[in-house]
Each structure stands twice: as C-alpha cells, then as structure tokens.
Amino acid sequence: MDQRFDVTERFADGAQYIAGRLRQGGSEGTHQVIDPATGEQVFDYRLAGAADVDAAVAAAGAAFPEWAGATPGERSDALHRFAAVLTERADDLAYAESLQCGKPIKLSTEFDVPGSIDNTSFFAGAARQLEGKAAGEYSRDHTSYIRREPIGVIGSIAPWNYPLQMAAWKVLPAIAAGNTIVLKPAELTPLTSLMFAQAATEAGLPDGVINVVSGTGAEAGEWLVSHPAVAMTSFTGSTAVGKRVAELATSTVKRIHLELGGKAPFVVFDDADLEAAAHGAVAGALINSGQDCTAATRAYVQRPLYDAFVAAVADLMASVRLGDPFDPHTDLGPLVSHAQRDRVAGFVDRARGYATVVTGGDAPGGDLAKGAYYRPTLITGAPQDSEIVQSEIFGPVLVVLPFDGDDEGIALANDTPYGLAASAWSRDVYRTGRASRELRAGCVWINDHIPIISEMPHGGVRASGFGKDMSAYSFEEYTQVKHVMFDNTAVVRKDWHRTVFGDRQT
C-alpha cells in the first residue's frame, strides 16, 4: 500500500475541527476508523459530545457577522484560494478517501477528488451571482427590490458513502452564500472532511466559518439538529433517519434540506442500444460498490431485449476485478464495513427464496476474505412488491425485471416510495421525451446513468426528500429572500389609510 501519511500522527490533536484548529472530542466514547479492505484499524479518536457541538456552533456564530458581511467578491476570492489548496492536496485526499471507504483509488482520483475541487471552483464563481427579482415599481407608489441574505449557522450531517464530496456539497453553497457551518461527517469516515476544513483554513478562510464535529448521530448529530442557535439543518442519508431529523428540526422551526434514499429505475425500451444499456447498467449499479443513492438498482427491460440484456450484464459483471483499493487496476473495492457487507448479503440471501441469483451473491475468499467485499450480483425473477425490488440495499446488486408496453415500464419504474434518480434508454426521441416527463425523480438521465456536474442540481422528490445540492439552485436552500419596499410619494396620508380610519381624501 502507498502509505502517503500516518493518519494517527496527522490527527494526533483530535478529530474535531473547531475555530480553525483540531481538538479532542469531549465524549467518553471513542471510535475506530477501519480500513474495510483489510479489517485493520487505521485511526482511533475521541468522539464529539454535546459540549463540542456547543463550541462549534459558538465558533460558527462568532464568525458569522464578518463572513456574512464580506462582499461576494471577497468570498469568491477565498473560495478560489480554497480550490487551489485542494488541488495541491489532491493526492492525499484521494489516499485518505480510499483508505477510510475502500474506494478503488481510480474512483477517488478520477471522480471524488476532482469533483469536489470542481464544486469549489464553481461556487467561487457562483458566490458573485446571488440573483433576485429586478427592482421595480410593482405598485404605482412604491419601489420594491429583493435581497438574498444568509440564514446564519448551518448544521449539516453528511453520510459515509462519499465523505469528501458530501462535505463539499454541504459546505460550499452554504459558505458561498455567506453562512457559516458546523458539519458532522459519519463517524466511520471523518478523515477527508477534516482535511477539507483544514484546507479552507490554509486558504485563508476565517476561523469558525467551517467547523467539523466527528461523533455519533445519537449524541452529536441529534444535538446539532436540535441546537437553538442553528438556523438550518441539511441532512443526507437514509429516509428513516431523515424522518427523525425532520422531527427534531421542527422543534425549533429550522429550515430543513433533506437528500434521502433512492431506488433508481433503469428503463430499457426495445429499441435501445443493447450494448450501451448493458454497459451503463453495470457501471451504474456498481459505482462505489453500489453505495450510491442514485445507483441503478432496478432495471426494467422490454421483453424483446430482456434475455439478451440479462446475459450481457451477467458477462460484464463476471469480468469486474475485485481487489486492493490501491491497485490501479481494481474495479470494485469492499463495502464501507463488514456490517454493511452483511446487510447486503442478508437482502440477497432472503431473495433466494423467491428470485434467482444469476451471478454473484457471495463474498470472495482468498486474499480478500478479511475485507468487506461482496461480488457483483444480478438477480432476476423477483416480484415487483418484493423486498429486493422495493427496499434500498446500498450494495453491488442489480435486479432485472421484464415489461411489455411502454405504459407498464414507466408505471413499474415509478412504483416505489422513492424519487431521487432514474434513467431511460431508447433511440426514439418521443419515447425518451415521455420518460423524462413521467418518471418521478429529481434527475432523469437519457441513455446514460450516474454522471453529475456542478452546474446542475441534485435532489429528489417523495421519500427521497426535498431541496437541491450543487448548482446555483442550491442557494434557494441557503439564503432567505427579503422583500424591501420604498414609498416614493412622500405623502403623509395615503389613500389606503381610509380602509382603516377616516374617509377618502378629496
């Protein structure tokens, strides 16, 4: 393994980043960061407690007036410097991300890290583009204009599947709009969130603008969401936990942004390019070992292509190379933990009673046995209402089901509680146009599945939550709109006053 740095040495001062410096957590509990490829401990740290959350919120609150008062150009310059520091630290970030998550290094270096840097560069520009309605006389006697103002201290909770990217998605639009933030990464994967915050300080962002508390959801997370000095909560994670976050946030009437689970359908019509669809399905299902809320999980294939699609996907899955995440030829790394691997295996094992496991469906032995690996798995013959079709698995598992007419295919695709992402595959522009309108999801890809770009929004509907990450649309989450109205007449007694007292003036 390419040991670029010693994690324990780098974070010897602790895994909490408050007011521009590392510190130890105040909780009595500790947590071990485990390399999921080997099962070995790489870092042991004291967890954040309520006092750490209080300190982080206080630091963010103290930094807010100066940061909110900075000009858009000043915030933009700071974010450009931030992007430059992240670029210098790209190799270390990729190493740490693969170490704590088990991601293949080619995924970290070609997707996670450059995507996060691009996000930073995008929001450096977007900071200067906080638009509102044009000033004008919408009443004959007044001039109105719109101000976009920062909300205050943001409390964000990020998941373990894309720790660096999710830190970026949470932090960047918030601070670009003039807010300050306390981020709680998943306790499994705090390393790159801490490195991200350190890079911001190195780039010259004021202390307290970005703070990180590494702790459990039950202790640090619930208090962060409930904290009376936190003005908004942004959460990415499961729908079940999202419901709990919403319950806690409403106790103090916070603004809430939720990006929750998904069960993305992959609809293949009978005129689709079969080879392209098969390749797209395997890539879309297996990215990040399937631990992606937009991953292709349910392929609905029109019956004329169904058998050929299943055969092609099975062949491609069999060619996927499992291995050491730091081997540049590895295609698929382990899941994030043995517990997650066992959870995925449980879904597949239960499905054997009502469906067919075409390929995969087990953990590899040999040199990989110590890691949290699970083979790419293809399942057919599952009923639409079965657990394997309806529930989010979050692993390298694709279920394929047939359909006949177009109406049926779209209806089946929409037949889950979720609505985060979907894709449709066809050479017919009218078919794809209909699918783009009728598939109920926050993102619909046509003849592709998974790509994201900084300029376009990401977020779901229904049980997948609400609100947008990335893009200028994310400022809708992190700014409050104020209407300012000026009287233009200098008239003491307005004509409308008569509706309250007196008579019309003549």
CSV table of all heavy atoms in Angstrom, one decimal, residues 371-391:
chain,number,residue,atom,x,y,z
A,371,GLY,N,-11.5,-8.6,4.1
A,371,GLY,CA,-12.2,-7.3,3.8
A,371,GLY,C,-13.7,-7.5,3.7
A,371,GLY,O,-14.2,-8.6,3.7
A,372,ALA,N,-14.4,-6.3,3.5
A,372,ALA,CA,-15.8,-6.3,3.5
A,372,ALA,C,-16.3,-6.4,2.0
A,372,ALA,O,-17.2,-5.6,1.6
A,372,ALA,CB,-16.3,-5.0,4.1
A,373,TYR,N,-15.7,-7.3,1.3
A,373,TYR,CA,-16.0,-7.4,-0.2
A,373,TYR,C,-17.3,-8.2,-0.4
A,373,TYR,O,-17.7,-9.1,0.4
A,373,TYR,CB,-14.9,-8.1,-0.9
A,373,TYR,CG,-13.6,-7.3,-1.0
A,373,TYR,CD1,-12.7,-7.4,0.0
A,373,TYR,CD2,-13.4,-6.5,-2.1
A,373,TYR,CE1,-11.5,-6.6,-0.1
A,373,TYR,CE2,-12.2,-5.8,-2.2
A,373,TYR,CZ,-11.3,-5.8,-1.2
A,373,TYR,OH,-10.1,-5.1,-1.2
A,374,TYR,N,-18.0,-7.9,-1.5
A,374,TYR,CA,-19.2,-8.7,-2.0
A,374,TYR,C,-19.2,-8.6,-3.5
A,374,TYR,O,-18.9,-7.6,-4.1
A,374,TYR,CB,-20.5,-8.1,-1.4
A,374,TYR,CG,-21.6,-9.0,-1.5
A,374,TYR,CD1,-21.7,-10.0,-0.5
A,374,TYR,CD2,-22.6,-8.9,-2.4
A,374,TYR,CE1,-22.8,-10.9,-0.6
A,374,TYR,CE2,-23.7,-9.8,-2.5
A,374,TYR,CZ,-23.8,-10.8,-1.5
A,374,TYR,OH,-24.8,-11.7,-1.6
A,375,ARG,N,-19.4,-9.8,-4.1
A,375,ARG,CA,-19.3,-9.9,-5.5
A,375,ARG,C,-20.5,-9.1,-6.2
A,375,ARG,O,-21.6,-9.0,-5.7
A,375,ARG,CB,-19.3,-11.3,-6.0
A,375,ARG,CG,-18.2,-12.2,-5.5
A,375,ARG,CD,-18.2,-13.6,-6.2
A,375,ARG,NE,-17.3,-14.5,-5.5
A,375,ARG,CZ,-16.0,-14.5,-5.8
A,375,ARG,NH1,-15.5,-13.7,-6.7
A,375,ARG,NH2,-15.2,-15.4,-5.2
A,376,PRO,N,-20.2,-8.6,-7.4
A,376,PRO,CA,-21.3,-8.0,-8.2
A,376,PRO,C,-22.4,-9.1,-8.4
A,376,PRO,O,-22.2,-10.2,-8.7
A,376,PRO,CB,-20.7,-7.7,-9.5
A,376,PRO,CG,-19.2,-7.5,-9.2
A,376,PRO,CD,-18.9,-8.5,-8.1
A,377,THR,N,-23.7,-8.6,-8.1
A,377,THR,CA,-24.8,-9.6,-8.0
A,377,THR,C,-25.9,-9.2,-8.9
A,377,THR,O,-26.4,-8.0,-8.9
A,377,THR,CB,-25.3,-9.7,-6.6
A,377,THR,OG1,-24.2,-10.1,-5.7
A,377,THR,CG2,-26.4,-10.7,-6.4
A,378,LEU,N,-26.4,-10.1,-9.7
A,378,LEU,CA,-27.5,-9.9,-10.6
A,378,LEU,C,-28.6,-10.9,-10.2
A,378,LEU,O,-28.4,-12.1,-10.1
A,378,LEU,CB,-27.1,-10.2,-12.1
A,378,LEU,CG,-28.1,-10.1,-13.2
A,378,LEU,CD1,-28.6,-8.7,-13.3
A,378,LEU,CD2,-27.5,-10.6,-14.5
A,379,ILE,N,-29.8,-10.3,-10.1
A,379,ILE,CA,-31.0,-11.1,-9.7
A,379,ILE,C,-32.1,-10.9,-10.7
A,379,ILE,O,-32.4,-9.8,-11.1
A,379,ILE,CB,-31.4,-10.6,-8.3
A,379,ILE,CG1,-30.4,-11.0,-7.2
A,379,ILE,CG2,-32.8,-11.2,-7.9
A,379,ILE,CD1,-30.6,-10.5,-5.8
A,380,THR,N,-32.8,-12.0,-11.0
A,380,THR,CA,-34.0,-12.0,-11.8
A,380,THR,C,-35.1,-12.7,-11.2
A,380,THR,O,-34.9,-13.4,-10.2
A,380,THR,CB,-33.7,-12.6,-13.2
A,380,THR,OG1,-33.3,-14.0,-13.0
A,380,THR,CG2,-32.6,-11.9,-13.9
A,381,GLY,N,-36.3,-12.5,-11.7
A,381,GLY,CA,-37.5,-13.3,-11.2
A,381,GLY,C,-38.1,-12.8,-10.0
A,381,GLY,O,-38.9,-13.5,-9.4
A,382,ALA,N,-37.7,-11.6,-9.5
A,382,ALA,CA,-38.3,-11.1,-8.2
A,382,ALA,C,-39.6,-10.4,-8.5
A,382,ALA,O,-39.8,-9.6,-9.5
A,382,ALA,CB,-37.3,-10.1,-7.6
A,383,PRO,N,-40.6,-10.6,-7.7
A,383,PRO,CA,-41.9,-9.9,-7.8
A,383,PRO,C,-41.7,-8.4,-7.6
A,383,PRO,O,-40.8,-8.0,-6.8
A,383,PRO,CB,-42.8,-10.5,-6.7
A,383,PRO,CG,-42.1,-11.8,-6.4
A,383,PRO,CD,-40.7,-11.6,-6.6
A,384,GLN,N,-42.5,-7.6,-8.2
A,384,GLN,CA,-42.4,-6.1,-8.1
A,384,GLN,C,-42.6,-5.7,-6.6
A,384,GLN,O,-41.9,-4.7,-6.2
A,384,GLN,CB,-43.5,-5.5,-9.0
A,384,GLN,CG,-43.6,-3.9,-8.8
A,384,GLN,CD,-42.4,-3.2,-9.3
A,384,GLN,OE1,-41.5,-3.7,-10.0
A,384,GLN,NE2,-42.3,-1.9,-9.0
A,385,ASP,N,-43.4,-6.4,-5.8
A,385,ASP,CA,-43.6,-5.9,-4.5
A,385,ASP,C,-42.6,-6.6,-3.5
A,385,ASP,O,-42.8,-6.4,-2.3
A,385,ASP,CB,-45.0,-6.2,-4.0
A,385,ASP,CG,-45.4,-7.7,-4.1
A,385,ASP,OD1,-44.5,-8.5,-4.5
A,385,ASP,OD2,-46.5,-8.1,-3.7
A,386,SER,N,-41.6,-7.3,-3.9
A,386,SER,CA,-40.7,-7.9,-3.0
A,386,SER,C,-39.7,-6.9,-2.4
A,386,SER,O,-39.4,-5.9,-2.9
A,386,SER,CB,-39.9,-9.0,-3.8
A,386,SER,OG,-39.1,-8.5,-4.9
A,387,GLU,N,-39.1,-7.4,-1.3
A,387,GLU,CA,-38.1,-6.5,-0.6
A,387,GLU,C,-37.0,-6.1,-1.5
A,387,GLU,O,-36.5,-5.0,-1.5
A,387,GLU,CB,-37.6,-7.3,0.6
A,387,GLU,CG,-36.5,-6.6,1.4
A,387,GLU,CD,-35.9,-7.5,2.4
A,387,GLU,OE1,-35.4,-8.6,2.0
A,387,GLU,OE2,-35.8,-7.1,3.6
A,388,ILE,N,-36.4,-7.0,-2.3
A,388,ILE,CA,-35.3,-6.8,-3.1
A,388,ILE,C,-35.5,-5.7,-4.2
A,388,ILE,O,-34.6,-5.0,-4.6
A,388,ILE,CB,-34.7,-8.1,-3.7
A,388,ILE,CG1,-33.2,-7.9,-4.1
A,388,ILE,CG2,-35.5,-8.5,-5.0
A,388,ILE,CD1,-32.3,-8.2,-3.0
A,389,VAL,N,-36.8,-5.5,-4.6
A,389,VAL,CA,-37.2,-4.5,-5.6
A,389,VAL,C,-37.5,-3.2,-4.9
A,389,VAL,O,-37.3,-2.1,-5.4
A,389,VAL,CB,-38.4,-5.0,-6.4
A,389,VAL,CG1,-38.9,-4.0,-7.4
A,389,VAL,CG2,-37.9,-6.3,-7.2
A,390,GLN,N,-38.1,-3.3,-3.7
A,390,GLN,CA,-38.7,-2.1,-3.1
A,390,GLN,C,-37.8,-1.4,-2.1
A,390,GLN,O,-37.9,-0.2,-1.9
A,390,GLN,CB,-40.0,-2.4,-2.4
A,390,GLN,CG,-41.1,-2.9,-3.3
A,390,GLN,CD,-41.7,-1.7,-4.1
A,390,GLN,OE1,-41.7,-0.6,-3.7
A,390,GLN,NE2,-42.0,-2.0,-5.4
A,391,SER,N,-36.8,-2.1,-1.5
A,391,SER,CA,-36.0,-1.5,-0.5
A,391,SER,C,-34.6,-1.1,-1.0
A,391,SER,O,-34.1,-1.8,-1.8
A,391,SER,CB,-35.9,-2.5,0.7
A,391,SER,OG,-37.1,-2.8,1.3
